[in-house]
């Protein structure tokens, strides 16, 4: 998700889950290549390009989000990455057993399902470049992020300034990381989200 921190408007760089209906919005464009897909869009004066691919040598998926300010003024934005943990065969069955935590030195969110017969010794992770920097917020509580009777089209968390930092057991598990982005007119930046699995924290 992308959000204008001054107006509160939010949209997604892909046509789902939260398309932009701004008058100035351009159509969403998807380009599929060998091993990657790129989604392009312009809305609210912000050009976004989201490239999605997986590593060839590791169980890691990348979302590379490139943002350019074409609005004619400085902008304060946030980029929010969101995933729902399964760590098993069915989410409804595994969700009550998933435990989440945040690694203090790097800001990565870790998730483990100690009750799974197949995945108990595996560790899922979700992180973002610069997650250890001041200003990044997170939550591992899906109920908080989506809200009561809410949806991914209009999550309740994007109506609040920051995510709560809630982690642990007995939550409806997810991982959401929100990164502040400031762009002067004509400036560009890149935010990289990563999702993966491994057998240890290292």
């Amino acid at each position: 998700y992308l959000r204008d921190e001054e107006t509160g408007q939010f949209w997604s760089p892909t046509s789902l889950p939260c398309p932009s209906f701004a008058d100035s919005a351009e159509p969403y464009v998807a380009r599929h290549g060998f091993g990657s897909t790129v989604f392009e869009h312009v809305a609210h004066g912000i050009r976004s390009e989201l490239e999605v691919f997986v590593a060839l040598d590791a169980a890691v998926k990348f979302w590379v989000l490139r943002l350019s300010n074409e609005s004619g003024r400085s902008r304060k934005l946030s980029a929010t990455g969101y995933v729902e943990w399964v760590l098993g065969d069915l989410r409804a069955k595994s969700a009550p057993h998933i435990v989440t935590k945040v690694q203090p030195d790097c800001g990565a969110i870790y998730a483990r399902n100690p009750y799974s017969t197949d995945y108990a010794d595996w560790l899922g992770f979700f992180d973002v470049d610069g997650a250890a920097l001041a200003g990044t917020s997170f939550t591992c509580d899906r109920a908080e992020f989506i809200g009561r009777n809410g949806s991914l089209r209009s999550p309740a968390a994007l109506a609040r300034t920051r995510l709560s930092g809630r982690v642990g057991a007995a939550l409806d598990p997810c991982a959401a990381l929100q990164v502040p982005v400031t762009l002067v007119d004509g400036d560009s930046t890149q935010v990289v989200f990563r999702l993966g699995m491994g057998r240890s924290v290292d």
Side-chain angles (χ1 to χ4, degrees):
Y1 297 89
L2 297 172
R3 181 175 68 183
D4 186 320
E5 295 299 299
E6 295 169 336
T7 66
Q9 292 176 308
F10 59 87
W11 67 99
S12 54
T14 54
S15 58
L16 289 175
C18 180
S20 171
F21 295 111
D23 292 339
S24 60
E26 295 183 8
Y28 284 90
V29 176
R31 293 186 287 112
H32 305 287
F34 292 105
S36 70
T37 295
V38 176
F39 302 93
E40 297 175 346
H41 186 57
V42 179
H44 309 287
I46 302 298
R47 179 176 298 278
S48 63
E49 180 182 280
L50 179 64
E51 183 177 10
V52 183
F53 59 93
V54 297
L56 295 176
D57 58 350
V60 183
K61 181 177 183 178
F62 295 86
W63 291 268
V64 179
L65 178 63
R66 299 176 186 93
L67 301 172
S68 300
N69 182 0
E70 301 177 352
S71 66
R73 59 186 176 87
S74 294
R75 302 292 293 275
K76 290 185 178 181
L77 309 168
S78 64
T80 303
Y82 173 83
V83 297
E84 295 181 1
W85 298 113
V86 178
L87 302 178
D89 53 357
L90 296 172
R91 187 177 192 283
K93 187 169 68 173
S94 64
H97 307 294
I98 293 174
V99 180
T100 56
K101 70 174 187 175
V102 172
Q103 189 70 8
D105 59 341
C106 67
I109 294 174
Y110 293 133
R112 186 186 300 272
N113 180 0
Y115 295 97
S116 171
T117 55
D118 298 317
Y119 302 101
D121 57 343
W122 283 86
L123 190 72
F125 69 87
F126 187 56
D127 75 338
V128 62
D129 280 355
L133 300 175
T136 298
S137 63
F138 62 88
T139 186
C140 294
D141 185 356
R142 181 175 175 270
E144 171 205 337
F145 188 84
I146 294 177
R148 185 175 181 178
N149 301 322
S151 70
L152 291 176
R153 186 180 182 92
S154 183
L158 294 184
R160 294 189 290 273
T161 306
R162 294 174 54 80
L163 302 178
S164 71
R166 188 174 298 153
V167 296
L171 299 173
D172 186 359
C174 75
L177 287 166
Q178 190 172 78
V179 182
V181 177
T182 301
L183 292 172
V184 299
D185 182 37
D187 199 10
S188 298
T189 193
Q190 177 174 286
V191 179
V192 182
F193 293 95
R194 290 177 291 266
L195 172 69
M197 286 191 75
R199 289 190 177 272
S200 71
V201 170
D202 291 339

